[in-house]
Amino acid sequence: MPDVRNGRIARLARNDPAQYDALARHWWRPRGPFAMLHWLAAARGALVPPAPREEAVLVDLGCGAGLLAPHVDAAGYRHIGIDVTASALAQAAAHGVTAVRADVAAVPLADGCADVVAAGEILEHVPDLAAVVAEACRLLRPGGLLVIDTLAATALSRFVAVTLAERIPGAAPPGIHDPALFVDRAALVRECARHGVSLRLRGIRPSLVGLARWATGRADSVPMVSVPTTAVLFQAVGRRGQEEPGLTSGGGGDSST
């Protein structure tokens, strides 16, 4: 078990899942090392529509401690969370998520079982993007909605999310990301299209006003706002078998701007 000193993890290999066990007590702290995951969960939840039918299912890939749950509770889905970290899944279950311990590249659920598949802040942690995308799309019913947020494979993203964020107290825990796994946007769009999901992308970042309020203790959360570039942090949305309107055009290549 790694040491945690002042909220920072003694060095492990980058992207080592053991880090989440070491930080288990911090998941639900709105001002802890996972604070930004709360903000992203709120932004992700805002993209999830009300359940289209009784017994509708939302599959939450890389659910962690279930941070999405408060933002979709009222939408009417059975919320199934997939993760490999038992300590996180126990907390997800305590927040109403049906917890399943499994690799997101091999989910033990039936084809077409999900009305919504959410993949929030997980694709930048997986070694085989194509396999996880295929699995996410396999789980979707015809017309089902795929909702993603992740980090782009660009020099700018690596600087912001690793070089900068890991040096700011209360930002990303050191070593939580391996920048070699950040997501090639064009490849993501292409892989989703191969499985019948036409993806649309938009860039997002924390509100600067919200960050100032949070940093000075006047707010416990920060809204995410749209930006004109997908080169750092982005959302992606698409439906199996049809295009999702309302987001900026997909693709974007893999340049640093």
Side-chain angles (χ1 to χ4, degrees):
M1 179 71 69
D3 293 330
V4 180
R5 301 185 182 92
N6 299 320
R8 296 179 71 81
I9 312 168
R11 284 290 179 184
L12 292 169
R14 283 194 170 274
N15 202 47
D16 190 327
Q19 295 184 53
Y20 296 98
D21 286 319
L23 291 165
R25 71 182 185 276
H26 298 288
W27 274 109
W28 285 93
R29 290 178 54 213
R31 308 187 66 79
F34 292 133
M36 192 166 176
L37 295 187
H38 286 259
W39 314 340
L40 286 163
R44 190 181 320 125
L47 297 176
V48 176
R53 62 189 182 93
E54 291 188 12
E55 305 300 323
V57 171
L58 183 156
V59 176
D60 189 355
L61 299 179
C63 68
L67 302 187
L68 182 61
H71 307 290
V72 296
D73 275 349
Y77 295 90
R78 181 187 177 199
H79 186 173
I80 301 176
I82 311 297
D83 209 287
V84 296
T85 304
S87 59
L89 286 171
Q91 295 181 60
H95 286 82
V97 178
T98 300
V100 177
R101 191 176 187 187
D103 190 313
V104 294
V107 178
L109 297 175
D111 294 0
C113 66
D115 299 85
V116 176
V117 172
E121 298 306 294
I122 183 62
L123 296 184
E124 73 271 24
H125 294 284
V126 301
D128 189 341
L129 177 68
V132 177
V133 167
E135 194 71 342
C137 296
R138 177 188 70 79
L139 295 169
L140 282 173
R141 297 167 59 89
L145 183 70
L146 178 62
V147 177
I148 293 167
D149 48 81
T150 189
L151 289 161
T154 67
L156 179 59
S157 182
R158 291 187 286 271
F159 173 75
V160 171
V162 179
T163 306
L164 183 60
E166 291 189 4
R167 287 164 172 76
I168 300 174
I176 207 75
H177 292 116
D178 179 353
L181 299 178
F182 285 7
V183 175
D184 181 321
R185 291 160 289 167
L188 175 62
V189 171
R190 183 171 61 249
E191 289 300 322
C192 284
R194 286 184 60 225
H195 299 284
V197 176
S198 182
L199 210 58
R200 310 290 285 181
L201 276 59
R202 71 175 169 201
I204 56 172
R205 63 161 171 79
S207 157
L208 298 181
V209 172
L211 274 176
R213 289 177 55 81
W214 180 81
T216 56
R218 291 179 291 159
D220 283 336
S221 186
V222 178
M224 304 299 292
V225 297
S226 297
V227 293
T229 177
T230 59
V232 180
L233 180 63
F234 66 91
Q235 291 178 314
V237 176
R239 287 191 181 274
R240 184 176 174 187
Q242 65 186 80
E243 203 170 279
E244 178 71 7
L247 298 183
T248 57
S249 61
D254 219 30
S255 67
S256 60
T257 60

